[in-house]
PDB file of all heavy atoms in Angstrom:
ATOM      1  N   ARG A 275       0.814  -1.263   0.031  1.00 95.00           N
ATOM      2  CA  ARG A 275       0.016  -0.044   0.006  1.00 95.00           C
ATOM      3  C   ARG A 275       0.861   1.251   0.062  1.00 95.00           C
ATOM      4  O   ARG A 275       0.529   2.325  -0.598  1.00 95.00           O
ATOM      5  CB  ARG A 275      -0.995  -0.026   1.227  1.00 95.00           C
ATOM      6  CG  ARG A 275      -2.106  -1.055   1.125  1.00 95.00           C
ATOM      7  CD  ARG A 275      -2.837  -1.302   2.462  1.00 95.00           C
ATOM      8  NE  ARG A 275      -3.833  -2.337   2.351  1.00 95.00           N
ATOM      9  CZ  ARG A 275      -4.196  -2.976   3.405  1.00 95.00           C
ATOM     10  NH1 ARG A 275      -3.698  -2.921   4.588  1.00 95.00           N
ATOM     11  NH2 ARG A 275      -5.032  -3.969   3.223  1.00 95.00           N
ATOM     12  N   ASN A 276       1.985   1.216   0.685  1.00 92.00           N
ATOM     13  CA  ASN A 276       2.922   2.370   0.726  1.00 92.00           C
ATOM     14  C   ASN A 276       3.462   2.595  -0.631  1.00 92.00           C
ATOM     15  O   ASN A 276       3.766   3.825  -0.921  1.00 92.00           O
ATOM     16  CB  ASN A 276       4.023   2.022   1.712  1.00 92.00           C
ATOM     17  CG  ASN A 276       5.122   3.138   1.837  1.00 92.00           C
ATOM     18  OD1 ASN A 276       5.959   3.295   1.025  1.00 92.00           O
ATOM     19  ND2 ASN A 276       4.865   3.916   2.822  1.00 92.00           N
ATOM     20  N   ALA A 277       3.571   1.534  -1.469  1.00 89.00           N
ATOM     21  CA  ALA A 277       4.164   1.759  -2.831  1.00 89.00           C
ATOM     22  C   ALA A 277       3.120   1.995  -3.839  1.00 89.00           C
ATOM     23  O   ALA A 277       3.460   2.043  -5.088  1.00 89.00           O
ATOM     24  CB  ALA A 277       5.047   0.516  -3.221  1.00 89.00           C
ATOM     25  N   SER A 278       1.889   2.126  -3.427  1.00 89.00           N
ATOM     26  CA  SER A 278       0.782   2.406  -4.399  1.00 89.00           C
ATOM     27  C   SER A 278       0.641   3.830  -4.672  1.00 89.00           C
ATOM     28  O   SER A 278       1.058   4.711  -3.965  1.00 89.00           O
ATOM     29  CB  SER A 278      -0.463   1.757  -3.742  1.00 89.00           C
ATOM     30  OG  SER A 278      -0.539   0.322  -3.601  1.00 89.00           O
ATOM     31  N   VAL A 279      -0.238   4.034  -5.724  1.00 85.00           N
ATOM     32  CA  VAL A 279      -0.450   5.456  -6.229  1.00 85.00           C
ATOM     33  C   VAL A 279      -2.009   5.722  -5.925  1.00 85.00           C
ATOM     34  O   VAL A 279      -2.737   4.909  -6.240  1.00 85.00           O
ATOM     35  CB  VAL A 279      -0.313   5.551  -7.691  1.00 85.00           C
ATOM     36  CG1 VAL A 279      -0.469   6.980  -8.160  1.00 85.00           C
ATOM     37  CG2 VAL A 279       1.138   5.235  -8.062  1.00 85.00           C
ATOM     38  N   PRO A 280      -2.267   6.867  -5.213  1.00 88.00           N
ATOM     39  CA  PRO A 280      -3.673   7.080  -4.835  1.00 88.00           C
ATOM     40  C   PRO A 280      -4.501   7.033  -6.079  1.00 88.00           C
ATOM     41  O   PRO A 280      -4.318   7.481  -7.143  1.00 88.00           O
ATOM     42  CB  PRO A 280      -3.575   8.595  -4.324  1.00 88.00           C
ATOM     43  CG  PRO A 280      -2.120   8.749  -3.803  1.00 88.00           C
ATOM     44  CD  PRO A 280      -1.309   7.870  -4.760  1.00 88.00           C
ATOM     45  N   TYR A 281      -5.838   6.463  -5.752  1.00 87.00           N
ATOM     46  CA  TYR A 281      -6.764   6.251  -6.806  1.00 87.00           C
ATOM     47  C   TYR A 281      -7.252   7.550  -7.336  1.00 87.00           C
ATOM     48  O   TYR A 281      -7.551   8.433  -6.660  1.00 87.00           O
ATOM     49  CB  TYR A 281      -7.932   5.431  -6.330  1.00 87.00           C
ATOM     50  CG  TYR A 281      -8.853   4.968  -7.393  1.00 87.00           C
ATOM     51  CD1 TYR A 281      -8.556   3.898  -8.193  1.00 87.00           C
ATOM     52  CD2 TYR A 281      -9.947   5.727  -7.625  1.00 87.00           C
ATOM     53  CE1 TYR A 281      -9.399   3.580  -9.266  1.00 87.00           C
ATOM     54  CE2 TYR A 281     -10.806   5.401  -8.672  1.00 87.00           C
ATOM     55  CZ  TYR A 281     -10.589   4.272  -9.482  1.00 87.00           C
ATOM     56  OH  TYR A 281     -11.369   3.938 -10.499  1.00 87.00           O
ATOM     57  N   GLY A 282      -7.202   7.686  -8.709  1.00 83.00           N
ATOM     58  CA  GLY A 282      -7.740   8.884  -9.386  1.00 83.00           C
ATOM     59  C   GLY A 282      -6.720   9.940  -9.545  1.00 83.00           C
ATOM     60  O   GLY A 282      -7.028  10.942 -10.262  1.00 83.00           O
ATOM     61  N   LEU A 283      -5.458   9.736  -9.114  1.00 79.00           N
ATOM     62  CA  LEU A 283      -4.431  10.661  -9.286  1.00 79.00           C
ATOM     63  C   LEU A 283      -4.022  10.924 -10.784  1.00 79.00           C
ATOM     64  O   LEU A 283      -3.821   9.883 -11.396  1.00 79.00           O
ATOM     65  CB  LEU A 283      -3.156  10.267  -8.501  1.00 79.00           C
ATOM     66  CG  LEU A 283      -2.003  11.228  -8.610  1.00 79.00           C
ATOM     67  CD1 LEU A 283      -2.362  12.541  -7.771  1.00 79.00           C
ATOM     68  CD2 LEU A 283      -0.704  10.641  -7.904  1.00 79.00           C
ATOM     69  N   ASN A 284      -3.980  12.064 -11.126  1.00 68.00           N
ATOM     70  CA  ASN A 284      -3.610  12.457 -12.538  1.00 68.00           C
ATOM     71  C   ASN A 284      -2.580  13.392 -12.574  1.00 68.00           C
ATOM     72  O   ASN A 284      -2.731  14.517 -11.913  1.00 68.00           O
ATOM     73  CB  ASN A 284      -4.824  12.828 -13.329  1.00 68.00           C
ATOM     74  CG  ASN A 284      -4.441  13.153 -14.829  1.00 68.00           C
ATOM     75  OD1 ASN A 284      -3.551  12.656 -15.331  1.00 68.00           O
ATOM     76  ND2 ASN A 284      -5.208  14.128 -15.424  1.00 68.00           N
ATOM     77  N   THR A 285      -1.366  13.053 -13.050  1.00 65.00           N
ATOM     78  CA  THR A 285      -0.235  14.007 -13.136  1.00 65.00           C
ATOM     79  C   THR A 285      -0.003  14.383 -14.621  1.00 65.00           C
ATOM     80  O   THR A 285       0.711  13.673 -15.292  1.00 65.00           O
ATOM     81  CB  THR A 285       1.060  13.418 -12.527  1.00 65.00           C
ATOM     82  OG1 THR A 285       0.663  12.725 -11.239  1.00 65.00           O
ATOM     83  CG2 THR A 285       2.187  14.455 -12.404  1.00 65.00           C
ATOM     84  N   PRO A 286      -0.583  15.514 -15.037  1.00 58.00           N
ATOM     85  CA  PRO A 286      -0.543  15.851 -16.514  1.00 58.00           C
ATOM     86  C   PRO A 286       0.842  15.832 -17.052  1.00 58.00           C
ATOM     87  O   PRO A 286       1.148  15.483 -18.264  1.00 58.00           O
ATOM     88  CB  PRO A 286      -1.185  17.182 -16.539  1.00 58.00           C
ATOM     89  CG  PRO A 286      -2.155  17.217 -15.440  1.00 58.00           C
ATOM     90  CD  PRO A 286      -1.442  16.508 -14.266  1.00 58.00           C
ATOM     91  N   GLU A 287       1.820  16.437 -16.242  1.00 58.00           N
ATOM     92  CA  GLU A 287       3.159  16.637 -16.694  1.00 58.00           C
ATOM     93  C   GLU A 287       3.872  15.239 -16.905  1.00 58.00           C
ATOM     94  O   GLU A 287       5.030  15.022 -17.470  1.00 58.00           O
ATOM     95  CB  GLU A 287       4.003  17.470 -15.886  1.00 58.00           C
ATOM     96  CG  GLU A 287       4.196  17.124 -14.527  1.00 58.00           C
ATOM     97  CD  GLU A 287       3.127  17.502 -13.538  1.00 58.00           C
ATOM     98  OE1 GLU A 287       1.954  17.814 -14.097  1.00 58.00           O
ATOM     99  OE2 GLU A 287       3.365  17.591 -12.321  1.00 58.00           O
ATOM    100  N   GLU A 288       3.337  14.183 -16.179  1.00 60.00           N
ATOM    101  CA  GLU A 288       3.924  12.828 -16.206  1.00 60.00           C
ATOM    102  C   GLU A 288       2.762  11.904 -16.462  1.00 60.00           C
ATOM    103  O   GLU A 288       2.361  11.073 -15.538  1.00 60.00           O
ATOM    104  CB  GLU A 288       4.677  12.498 -14.904  1.00 60.00           C
ATOM    105  CG  GLU A 288       5.877  13.414 -14.646  1.00 60.00           C
ATOM    106  CD  GLU A 288       6.718  12.933 -13.533  1.00 60.00           C
ATOM    107  OE1 GLU A 288       7.225  11.696 -13.554  1.00 60.00           O
ATOM    108  OE2 GLU A 288       7.014  13.662 -12.628  1.00 60.00           O
ATOM    109  N   PRO A 289       2.285  11.715 -17.657  1.00 50.00           N
ATOM    110  CA  PRO A 289       1.179  10.894 -17.945  1.00 50.00           C
ATOM    111  C   PRO A 289       1.376   9.403 -17.788  1.00 50.00           C
ATOM    112  O   PRO A 289       0.376   8.655 -17.694  1.00 50.00           O
ATOM    113  CB  PRO A 289       0.933  11.210 -19.515  1.00 50.00           C
ATOM    114  CG  PRO A 289       2.197  11.663 -20.064  1.00 50.00           C
ATOM    115  CD  PRO A 289       2.848  12.386 -18.831  1.00 50.00           C
ATOM    116  N   ASN A 290       2.601   8.968 -17.577  1.00 56.00           N
ATOM    117  CA  ASN A 290       2.812   7.563 -17.472  1.00 56.00           C
ATOM    118  C   ASN A 290       2.593   7.088 -16.024  1.00 56.00           C
ATOM    119  O   ASN A 290       2.642   5.867 -15.715  1.00 56.00           O
ATOM    120  CB  ASN A 290       4.242   7.178 -17.939  1.00 56.00           C
ATOM    121  CG  ASN A 290       4.334   7.202 -19.453  1.00 56.00           C
ATOM    122  OD1 ASN A 290       3.433   6.960 -20.163  1.00 56.00           O
ATOM    123  ND2 ASN A 290       5.540   7.484 -19.908  1.00 56.00           N
ATOM    124  N   ILE A 291       2.454   8.051 -15.106  1.00 66.00           N
ATOM    125  CA  ILE A 291       2.181   7.594 -13.723  1.00 66.00           C
ATOM    126  C   ILE A 291       0.687   7.338 -13.584  1.00 66.00           C
ATOM    127  O   ILE A 291      -0.083   8.294 -13.873  1.00 66.00           O
ATOM    128  CB  ILE A 291       2.666   8.689 -12.732  1.00 66.00           C
ATOM    129  CG1 ILE A 291       4.254   8.672 -12.737  1.00 66.00           C
ATOM    130  CG2 ILE A 291       2.311   8.314 -11.286  1.00 66.00           C
ATOM    131  CD1 ILE A 291       4.885   9.727 -11.784  1.00 66.00           C
ATOM    132  N   SER A 292       0.242   6.202 -13.115  1.00 81.00           N
ATOM    133  CA  SER A 292      -1.080   5.784 -13.094  1.00 81.00           C
ATOM    134  C   SER A 292      -1.550   5.413 -11.704  1.00 81.00           C
ATOM    135  O   SER A 292      -0.786   5.021 -10.833  1.00 81.00           O
ATOM    136  CB  SER A 292      -1.278   4.639 -14.129  1.00 81.00           C
ATOM    137  OG  SER A 292      -0.854   5.040 -15.367  1.00 81.00           O
ATOM    138  N   SER A 293      -2.887   5.444 -11.559  1.00 87.00           N
ATOM    139  CA  SER A 293      -3.458   5.058 -10.242  1.00 87.00           C
ATOM    140  C   SER A 293      -3.302   3.545 -10.022  1.00 87.00           C
ATOM    141  O   SER A 293      -3.362   2.767 -11.012  1.00 87.00           O
ATOM    142  CB  SER A 293      -4.898   5.434 -10.235  1.00 87.00           C
ATOM    143  OG  SER A 293      -5.154   6.793 -10.372  1.00 87.00           O
ATOM    144  N   THR A 294      -3.097   3.149  -8.710  1.00 93.00           N
ATOM    145  CA  THR A 294      -3.188   1.754  -8.499  1.00 93.00           C
ATOM    146  C   THR A 294      -4.668   1.359  -8.428  1.00 93.00           C
ATOM    147  O   THR A 294      -5.527   1.854  -7.723  1.00 93.00           O
ATOM    148  CB  THR A 294      -2.672   1.517  -6.911  1.00 93.00           C
ATOM    149  OG1 THR A 294      -1.241   1.864  -6.982  1.00 93.00           O
ATOM    150  CG2 THR A 294      -2.727  -0.028  -6.590  1.00 93.00           C
ATOM    151  N   ARG A 295      -4.958   0.240  -9.179  1.00 94.00           N
ATOM    152  CA  ARG A 295      -6.325  -0.291  -9.409  1.00 94.00           C
ATOM    153  C   ARG A 295      -6.608  -1.468  -8.533  1.00 94.00           C
ATOM    154  O   ARG A 295      -7.621  -1.672  -7.983  1.00 94.00           O
ATOM    155  CB  ARG A 295      -6.585  -0.579 -10.797  1.00 94.00           C
ATOM    156  CG  ARG A 295      -6.614   0.697 -11.648  1.00 94.00           C
ATOM    157  CD  ARG A 295      -7.039   0.533 -13.055  1.00 94.00           C
ATOM    158  NE  ARG A 295      -7.253   1.859 -13.608  1.00 94.00           N
ATOM    159  CZ  ARG A 295      -8.421   2.501 -13.582  1.00 94.00           C
ATOM    160  NH1 ARG A 295      -9.500   1.896 -13.019  1.00 94.00           N
ATOM    161  NH2 ARG A 295      -8.552   3.704 -14.018  1.00 94.00           N
ATOM    162  N   TRP A 296      -5.596  -2.328  -8.395  1.00 96.00           N
ATOM    163  CA  TRP A 296      -5.673  -3.466  -7.335  1.00 96.00           C
ATOM    164  C   TRP A 296      -4.295  -3.945  -6.922  1.00 96.00           C
ATOM    165  O   TRP A 296      -3.224  -3.542  -7.477  1.00 96.00           O
ATOM    166  CB  TRP A 296      -6.489  -4.636  -7.988  1.00 96.00           C
ATOM    167  CG  TRP A 296      -6.065  -5.060  -9.487  1.00 96.00           C
ATOM    168  CD1 TRP A 296      -6.816  -4.764 -10.567  1.00 96.00           C
ATOM    169  CD2 TRP A 296      -5.020  -5.992  -9.779  1.00 96.00           C
ATOM    170  NE1 TRP A 296      -6.252  -5.484 -11.672  1.00 96.00           N
ATOM    171  CE2 TRP A 296      -5.131  -6.122 -11.195  1.00 96.00           C
ATOM    172  CE3 TRP A 296      -4.009  -6.568  -9.207  1.00 96.00           C
ATOM    173  CZ2 TRP A 296      -4.247  -6.938 -11.979  1.00 96.00           C
ATOM    174  CZ3 TRP A 296      -3.017  -7.306  -9.895  1.00 96.00           C
ATOM    175  CH2 TRP A 296      -3.236  -7.486 -11.306  1.00 96.00           C
ATOM    176  N   ARG A 297      -4.320  -4.747  -5.787  1.00 97.00           N
ATOM    177  CA  ARG A 297      -3.163  -5.299  -5.160  1.00 97.00           C
ATOM    178  C   ARG A 297      -3.373  -6.754  -4.966  1.00 97.00           C
ATOM    179  O   ARG A 297      -4.517  -7.237  -4.702  1.00 97.00           O
ATOM    180  CB  ARG A 297      -2.839  -4.669  -3.910  1.00 97.00           C
ATOM    181  CG  ARG A 297      -2.293  -3.179  -3.998  1.00 97.00           C
ATOM    182  CD  ARG A 297      -2.143  -2.537  -2.753  1.00 97.00           C
ATOM    183  NE  ARG A 297      -3.505  -2.155  -2.236  1.00 97.00           N
ATOM    184  CZ  ARG A 297      -4.077  -0.932  -2.405  1.00 97.00           C
ATOM    185  NH1 ARG A 297      -3.365   0.009  -3.146  1.00 97.00           N
ATOM    186  NH2 ARG A 297      -5.230  -0.568  -1.988  1.00 97.00           N
ATOM    187  N   ILE A 298      -2.382  -7.560  -5.170  1.00 98.00           N
ATOM    188  CA  ILE A 298      -2.390  -8.981  -4.933  1.00 98.00           C
ATOM    189  C   ILE A 298      -1.244  -9.468  -3.982  1.00 98.00           C
ATOM    190  O   ILE A 298      -0.095  -8.950  -4.159  1.00 98.00           O
ATOM    191  CB  ILE A 298      -2.322  -9.804  -6.273  1.00 98.00           C
ATOM    192  CG1 ILE A 298      -3.608  -9.727  -7.096  1.00 98.00           C
ATOM    193  CG2 ILE A 298      -1.907 -11.220  -5.990  1.00 98.00           C
ATOM    194  CD1 ILE A 298      -3.562 -10.328  -8.348  1.00 98.00           C
ATOM    195  N   VAL A 299      -1.481 -10.216  -3.028  1.00 98.00           N
ATOM    196  CA  VAL A 299      -0.617 -10.777  -2.134  1.00 98.00           C
ATOM    197  C   VAL A 299      -0.640 -12.401  -2.129  1.00 98.00           C
ATOM    198  O   VAL A 299      -1.737 -12.860  -1.955  1.00 98.00           O
ATOM    199  CB  VAL A 299      -0.681 -10.278  -0.711  1.00 98.00           C
ATOM    200  CG1 VAL A 299       0.258 -10.917   0.313  1.00 98.00           C
ATOM    201  CG2 VAL A 299      -0.523  -8.776  -0.682  1.00 98.00           C
ATOM    202  N   VAL A 300       0.465 -12.998  -2.332  1.00 98.00           N
ATOM    203  CA  VAL A 300       0.433 -14.472  -2.452  1.00 98.00           C
ATOM    204  C   VAL A 300       1.213 -15.014  -1.255  1.00 98.00           C
ATOM    205  O   VAL A 300       2.438 -14.797  -0.985  1.00 98.00           O
ATOM    206  CB  VAL A 300       1.192 -14.991  -3.714  1.00 98.00           C
ATOM    207  CG1 VAL A 300       1.275 -16.411  -3.718  1.00 98.00           C
ATOM    208  CG2 VAL A 300       0.485 -14.387  -4.960  1.00 98.00           C
ATOM    209  N   ASP A 301       0.546 -15.817  -0.392  1.00 98.00           N
ATOM    210  CA  ASP A 301       1.169 -16.566   0.589  1.00 98.00           C
ATOM    211  C   ASP A 301       1.560 -17.896   0.066  1.00 98.00           C
ATOM    212  O   ASP A 301       0.703 -18.793  -0.036  1.00 98.00           O
ATOM    213  CB  ASP A 301       0.165 -16.684   1.772  1.00 98.00           C
ATOM    214  CG  ASP A 301       0.733 -17.418   2.959  1.00 98.00           C
ATOM    215  OD1 ASP A 301       1.641 -18.261   2.882  1.00 98.00           O
ATOM    216  OD2 ASP A 301       0.237 -17.090   4.100  1.00 98.00           O
ATOM    217  N   HIS A 302       2.850 -18.056  -0.166  1.00 98.00           N
ATOM    218  CA  HIS A 302       3.345 -19.285  -0.848  1.00 98.00           C
ATOM    219  C   HIS A 302       3.236 -20.513  -0.012  1.00 98.00           C
ATOM    220  O   HIS A 302       2.856 -21.587  -0.541  1.00 98.00           O
ATOM    221  CB  HIS A 302       4.813 -19.055  -1.317  1.00 98.00           C
ATOM    222  CG  HIS A 302       5.076 -18.039  -2.287  1.00 98.00           C
ATOM    223  ND1 HIS A 302       5.279 -18.422  -3.707  1.00 98.00           N
ATOM    224  CD2 HIS A 302       5.193 -16.755  -2.246  1.00 98.00           C
ATOM    225  CE1 HIS A 302       5.451 -17.291  -4.388  1.00 98.00           C
ATOM    226  NE2 HIS A 302       5.427 -16.301  -3.522  1.00 98.00           N
ATOM    227  N   LYS A 303       3.452 -20.385   1.293  1.00 98.00           N
ATOM    228  CA  LYS A 303       3.395 -21.517   2.204  1.00 98.00           C
ATOM    229  C   LYS A 303       1.976 -22.117   2.311  1.00 98.00           C
ATOM    230  O   LYS A 303       1.766 -23.310   2.291  1.00 98.00           O
ATOM    231  CB  LYS A 303       3.997 -21.170   3.483  1.00 98.00           C
ATOM    232  CG  LYS A 303       4.199 -22.341   4.397  1.00 98.00           C
ATOM    233  CD  LYS A 303       4.881 -21.998   5.734  1.00 98.00           C
ATOM    234  CE  LYS A 303       5.048 -23.072   6.737  1.00 98.00           C
ATOM    235  NZ  LYS A 303       5.765 -22.767   7.964  1.00 98.00           N
ATOM    236  N   ARG A 304       1.093 -21.176   2.522  1.00 98.00           N
ATOM    237  CA  ARG A 304      -0.293 -21.605   2.739  1.00 98.00           C
ATOM    238  C   ARG A 304      -1.179 -21.690   1.506  1.00 98.00           C
ATOM    239  O   ARG A 304      -2.384 -21.966   1.581  1.00 98.00           O
ATOM    240  CB  ARG A 304      -1.042 -20.772   3.763  1.00 98.00           C
ATOM    241  CG  ARG A 304      -0.339 -20.718   5.186  1.00 98.00           C
ATOM    242  CD  ARG A 304      -1.031 -19.915   6.257  1.00 98.00           C
ATOM    243  NE  ARG A 304      -1.086 -18.578   6.040  1.00 98.00           N
ATOM    244  CZ  ARG A 304      -1.770 -17.657   6.785  1.00 98.00           C
ATOM    245  NH1 ARG A 304      -2.524 -18.060   7.711  1.00 98.00           N
ATOM    246  NH2 ARG A 304      -1.582 -16.336   6.479  1.00 98.00           N
ATOM    247  N   LEU A 305      -0.606 -21.297   0.336  1.00 98.00           N
ATOM    248  CA  LEU A 305      -1.240 -21.293  -0.863  1.00 98.00           C
ATOM    249  C   LEU A 305      -2.529 -20.460  -0.856  1.00 98.00           C
ATOM    250  O   LEU A 305      -3.573 -20.904  -1.329  1.00 98.00           O
ATOM    251  CB  LEU A 305      -1.392 -22.753  -1.382  1.00 98.00           C
ATOM    252  CG  LEU A 305      -0.306 -23.496  -1.810  1.00 98.00           C
ATOM    253  CD1 LEU A 305      -0.659 -24.951  -2.154  1.00 98.00           C
ATOM    254  CD2 LEU A 305       0.447 -22.905  -2.956  1.00 98.00           C
ATOM    255  N   LEU A 306      -2.371 -19.234  -0.368  1.00 98.00           N
ATOM    256  CA  LEU A 306      -3.579 -18.299  -0.331  1.00 98.00           C
ATOM    257  C   LEU A 306      -3.129 -17.158  -1.260  1.00 98.00           C
ATOM    258  O   LEU A 306      -2.037 -16.645  -1.286  1.00 98.00           O
ATOM    259  CB  LEU A 306      -3.670 -17.822   1.079  1.00 98.00           C
ATOM    260  CG  LEU A 306      -4.074 -18.816   2.151  1.00 98.00           C
ATOM    261  CD1 LEU A 306      -4.096 -18.118   3.500  1.00 98.00           C
ATOM    262  CD2 LEU A 306      -5.403 -19.489   1.794  1.00 98.00           C
ATOM    263  N   TYR A 307      -4.266 -16.698  -2.026  1.00 98.00           N
ATOM    264  CA  TYR A 307      -4.067 -15.692  -3.036  1.00 98.00           C
ATOM    265  C   TYR A 307      -5.015 -14.533  -2.618  1.00 98.00           C
ATOM    266  O   TYR A 307      -6.207 -14.750  -2.785  1.00 98.00           O
ATOM    267  CB  TYR A 307      -4.460 -16.143  -4.425  1.00 98.00           C
ATOM    268  CG  TYR A 307      -4.054 -15.431  -5.635  1.00 98.00           C
ATOM    269  CD1 TYR A 307      -2.780 -15.352  -6.130  1.00 98.00           C
ATOM    270  CD2 TYR A 307      -4.990 -14.666  -6.289  1.00 98.00           C
ATOM    271  CE1 TYR A 307      -2.397 -14.572  -7.199  1.00 98.00           C
ATOM    272  CE2 TYR A 307      -4.649 -13.975  -7.453  1.00 98.00           C
ATOM    273  CZ  TYR A 307      -3.344 -13.894  -7.960  1.00 98.00           C
ATOM    274  OH  TYR A 307      -2.981 -13.170  -8.996  1.00 98.00           O
ATOM    275  N   PHE A 308      -4.474 -13.423  -2.135  1.00 98.00           N
ATOM    276  CA  PHE A 308      -5.297 -12.294  -1.682  1.00 98.00           C
ATOM    277  C   PHE A 308      -5.387 -11.272  -2.767  1.00 98.00           C
ATOM    278  O   PHE A 308      -4.460 -10.913  -3.479  1.00 98.00           O
ATOM    279  CB  PHE A 308      -4.594 -11.692  -0.384  1.00 98.00           C
ATOM    280  CG  PHE A 308      -4.525 -12.524   0.802  1.00 98.00           C
ATOM    281  CD1 PHE A 308      -3.561 -13.468   0.957  1.00 98.00           C
ATOM    282  CD2 PHE A 308      -5.521 -12.536   1.766  1.00 98.00           C
ATOM    283  CE1 PHE A 308      -3.457 -14.344   2.125  1.00 98.00           C
ATOM    284  CE2 PHE A 308      -5.531 -13.273   2.862  1.00 98.00           C
ATOM    285  CZ  PHE A 308      -4.492 -14.186   3.033  1.00 98.00           C
ATOM    286  N   PHE A 309      -6.712 -10.684  -2.806  1.00 98.00           N
ATOM    287  CA  PHE A 309      -6.920  -9.700  -3.793  1.00 98.00           C
ATOM    288  C   PHE A 309      -7.602  -8.514  -3.145  1.00 98.00           C
ATOM    289  O   PHE A 309      -8.460  -8.623  -2.329  1.00 98.00           O
ATOM    290  CB  PHE A 309      -7.843 -10.247  -4.909  1.00 98.00           C
ATOM    291  CG  PHE A 309      -8.068  -9.246  -6.084  1.00 98.00           C
ATOM    292  CD1 PHE A 309      -7.218  -9.345  -7.149  1.00 98.00           C
ATOM    293  CD2 PHE A 309      -9.022  -8.244  -6.009  1.00 98.00           C
ATOM    294  CE1 PHE A 309      -7.383  -8.479  -8.260  1.00 98.00           C
ATOM    295  CE2 PHE A 309      -9.167  -7.361  -7.131  1.00 98.00           C
ATOM    296  CZ  PHE A 309      -8.453  -7.488  -8.148  1.00 98.00           C
ATOM    297  N   GLU A 310      -7.074  -7.271  -3.458  1.00 97.00           N
ATOM    298  CA  GLU A 310      -7.655  -5.993  -2.910  1.00 97.00           C
ATOM    299  C   GLU A 310      -7.804  -5.038  -4.030  1.00 97.00           C
ATOM    300  O   GLU A 310      -6.848  -4.637  -4.694  1.00 97.00           O
ATOM    301  CB  GLU A 310      -6.668  -5.541  -1.826  1.00 97.00           C
ATOM    302  CG  GLU A 310      -7.144  -4.264  -1.293  1.00 97.00           C
ATOM    303  CD  GLU A 310      -6.233  -3.840  -0.102  1.00 97.00           C
ATOM    304  OE1 GLU A 310      -5.122  -3.304  -0.451  1.00 97.00           O
ATOM    305  OE2 GLU A 310      -6.572  -3.970   1.144  1.00 97.00           O
ATOM    306  N   SER A 311      -9.053  -4.593  -4.203  1.00 97.00           N
ATOM    307  CA  SER A 311      -9.384  -3.602  -5.228  1.00 97.00           C
ATOM    308  C   SER A 311      -9.379  -2.250  -4.583  1.00 97.00           C
ATOM    309  O   SER A 311      -9.837  -2.075  -3.402  1.00 97.00           O
ATOM    310  CB  SER A 311     -10.674  -3.874  -5.918  1.00 97.00           C
ATOM    311  OG  SER A 311     -11.150  -2.754  -6.700  1.00 97.00           O
ATOM    312  N   ALA A 312      -9.010  -1.200  -5.291  1.00 94.00           N
ATOM    313  CA  ALA A 312      -9.078   0.147  -4.828  1.00 94.00           C
ATOM    314  C   ALA A 312     -10.500   0.608  -4.531  1.00 94.00           C
ATOM    315  O   ALA A 312     -10.752   1.655  -3.896  1.00 94.00           O
ATOM    316  CB  ALA A 312      -8.406   1.099  -5.713  1.00 94.00           C
ATOM    317  N   LEU A 313     -11.453  -0.028  -5.315  1.00 95.00           N
ATOM    318  CA  LEU A 313     -12.821   0.401  -5.206  1.00 95.00           C
ATOM    319  C   LEU A 313     -13.823  -0.336  -4.274  1.00 95.00           C
ATOM    320  O   LEU A 313     -14.979  -0.124  -4.286  1.00 95.00           O
ATOM    321  CB  LEU A 313     -13.403   0.432  -6.679  1.00 95.00           C
ATOM    322  CG  LEU A 313     -12.835   1.422  -7.651  1.00 95.00           C
ATOM    323  CD1 LEU A 313     -13.636   1.355  -8.992  1.00 95.00           C
ATOM    324  CD2 LEU A 313     -12.877   2.875  -7.004  1.00 95.00           C
TER     325      LEU A 313
END
């Protein structure tokens, strides 16, 4: 989350920077796949 970009952020002078839409976390040992949407 700390490395994410606020949802809806628009930086006209740097159009390649985009909002974070979702995040995924994989627990390899327990074989759990976590999903988190910004919305």
Side-chain angles (χ1 to χ4, degrees):
R275 289 166 184 154
N276 179 279
S278 297
V279 181
Y281 188 81
L283 181 68
N284 180 26
T285 310
E287 65 273 18
E288 296 191 55
N290 288 330
I291 293 180
S292 306
S293 300
T294 297
R295 295 192 164 267
W296 47 257
R297 288 171 284 267
I298 285 172
V299 174
V300 176
D301 184 327
H302 293 261
K303 184 175 183 179
R304 296 189 291 175
L305 290 177
L306 299 175
Y307 192 79
F308 293 83
F309 188 92
E310 181 178 73
S311 170
L313 291 183

